[in-house]
Amino acid sequence: MLTRAKTFQMAVVLIAALLPACADAEGFDTEHIFAFMIGADVGTLGEREFQTETTGRFGRSGGTYRAVGQELELEFVPFRNFRIEVGSTFASHFISGVPGIDDQRRLSWQGGSIDFRYRFLDRESGPFGLTFATELHGHRVDETTAESVRSFGTEFRLAFDRELVPDRIIAAFNLLYEPEWTRVVGSGLMEKDSTAGAALGVLAQVRPGFLLGGEARYLRKYEGIGLEELAGQALFVGPTAYFQLSKASRLTASWSIQAWGRPAGSTASLDLVNFDRHQARLVFGVNF
């Protein structure tokens, strides 16, 4: 874990040193500066972007667990304050000796998604920014177990953001709820579960085009979609860095570690049954 943290820090310093000196220092565009969260900005009218999002999840309650998802996304802003994103995801799993999960070594197309965001409040003219986002996704491979499934889920998210120090420090807060329906191929049984949580992120502009800070997420996993039977809970914390590579391209990098967690009915200090030990995300985007 220490080696991975040092590698992340070295990468941040190296990329920051290579940033162009002409990057725009005025204002924030919070649409993409966070990794596991979202800001309230949705882009400008007519804007088009291509984005790649690589997410790695590592460590479960024993054995070896590695899962990497690669999502390719197209984003459009057809109307003021309204954004549409269409995505397709490929997944790679290596699972060996993890209790409760069959061994897997698999690379496959996981599924697709569509995301809608509408900004109700602009922080430039209001007390804070406020955006409602909903994502619909369908999966043919379970993101945790790598089993062949027919899965459908929806994520609802409220995003707030506000500049704590003008042009220097920005904070964002998210509330989320994600119900999901899953049927394993070959089985007539439909499983229902849901995740709810809150997240807080703060970034400071270290130099023009380079933001550094962190994100903290508290997540609760439930059996069923009614938030009634708690399965487990976890707190993730870690650093986030944003790099404006050019006027048209950007890079966001984040690493989160489960700092605390507990499965339902247990006294453990981590929940490695319902959640991962480590999560990492790298997002690259370009306007066209």
Side-chain angles (χ1 to χ4, degrees):
M1 182 179 70
L2 183 60
T3 301
R4 291 171 177 170
K6 288 183 178 179
T7 301
F8 179 86
Q9 293 171 0
M10 291 176 61
V12 168
V13 172
L14 178 60
I15 297 176
L18 296 175
L19 284 176
C22 61
D24 186 4
E26 296 185 1
F28 290 102
D29 181 356
T30 63
E31 183 182 6
H32 299 296
I33 62 176
F34 297 98
F36 292 98
M37 301 173 54
I38 65 172
D41 290 338
V42 296
T44 58
L45 180 63
E47 188 175 75
R48 298 176 300 175
E49 293 182 290
F50 170 74
Q51 176 174 287
T52 68
E53 182 178 286
T54 307
T55 303
R57 298 179 291 108
F58 312 99
R60 282 277 170 159
S61 57
T64 301
Y65 184 88
R66 295 195 297 268
V68 178
Q70 179 65 62
E71 185 170 12
L72 307 177
E73 304 165 333
L74 288 174
E75 303 172 2
F76 309 91
V77 185
F79 310 106
R80 186 172 178 269
N81 293 323
F82 179 68
R83 196 196 83 170
I84 301 174
E85 175 187 293
V86 179
S88 181
T89 303
F90 296 85
S92 171
H93 289 82
F94 179 76
I95 305 171
S96 177
V98 178
I101 303 179
D102 292 339
D103 291 356
Q104 296 275 6
R105 181 173 290 187
R106 183 173 185 178
L107 174 63
S108 57
W109 177 63
Q110 185 176 36
S113 65
I114 185 167
D115 179 285
F116 302 97
R117 298 186 191 180
Y118 184 79
R119 183 173 62 182
F120 288 93
L121 291 176
D122 185 345
R123 68 178 178 279
E124 297 295 331
S125 56
F128 50 81
L130 171 61
T131 288
F132 174 72
T134 180
E135 180 196 81
L136 308 175
H137 61 261
H139 289 165
R140 56 188 295 273
V141 175
D142 188 87
E143 67 176 7
T144 300
T145 66
E147 291 183 290
S148 295
V149 298
R150 296 296 178 264
S151 174
F152 172 78
T154 305
E155 180 185 282
F156 302 99
R157 189 182 292 255
L158 274 177
F160 305 82
D161 62 21
R162 180 185 174 98
E163 291 189 37
L164 302 182
V165 178
D167 300 330
R168 288 293 178 265
I169 301 177
I170 186 80
F173 179 71
N174 287 184
L175 292 172
L176 67 92
Y177 167 60
E178 183 178 358
E180 189 150 13
W181 294 261
T182 302
R183 182 178 64 83
V184 178
V185 173
S187 169
L189 181 63
M190 177 68 72
E191 298 179 358
K192 302 176 183 179
D193 62 71
S194 56
T195 303
L200 175 66
V202 179
L203 291 177
Q205 186 164 237
V206 178
R207 55 169 291 184
F210 173 42
L211 278 67
L212 185 63
E215 301 176 41
R217 295 171 292 137
Y218 172 64
L219 303 175
R220 294 170 66 90
K221 189 81 169 182
Y222 292 88
E223 300 289 344
I225 62 173
L227 304 183
E228 297 174 353
E229 186 177 347
L230 179 66
Q233 54 189 318
L235 173 66
F236 287 89
V237 296
T240 297
Y242 172 82
F243 311 94
Q244 188 69 44
L245 302 177
S246 69
K247 289 185 177 181
S249 61
R250 54 182 166 76
L251 183 71
T252 307
S254 185
W255 185 282
S256 279
I257 183 173
Q258 187 182 149
W260 177 87
R262 179 167 296 170
S266 171
T267 59
S269 59
L270 295 174
D271 183 355
L272 299 180
V273 177
N274 299 288
F275 299 98
D276 314 297
R277 184 71 171 97
H278 300 274
Q279 297 179 349
R281 180 166 287 176
L282 187 68
V283 184
F284 172 78
V286 59
N287 290 35
F288 64 93

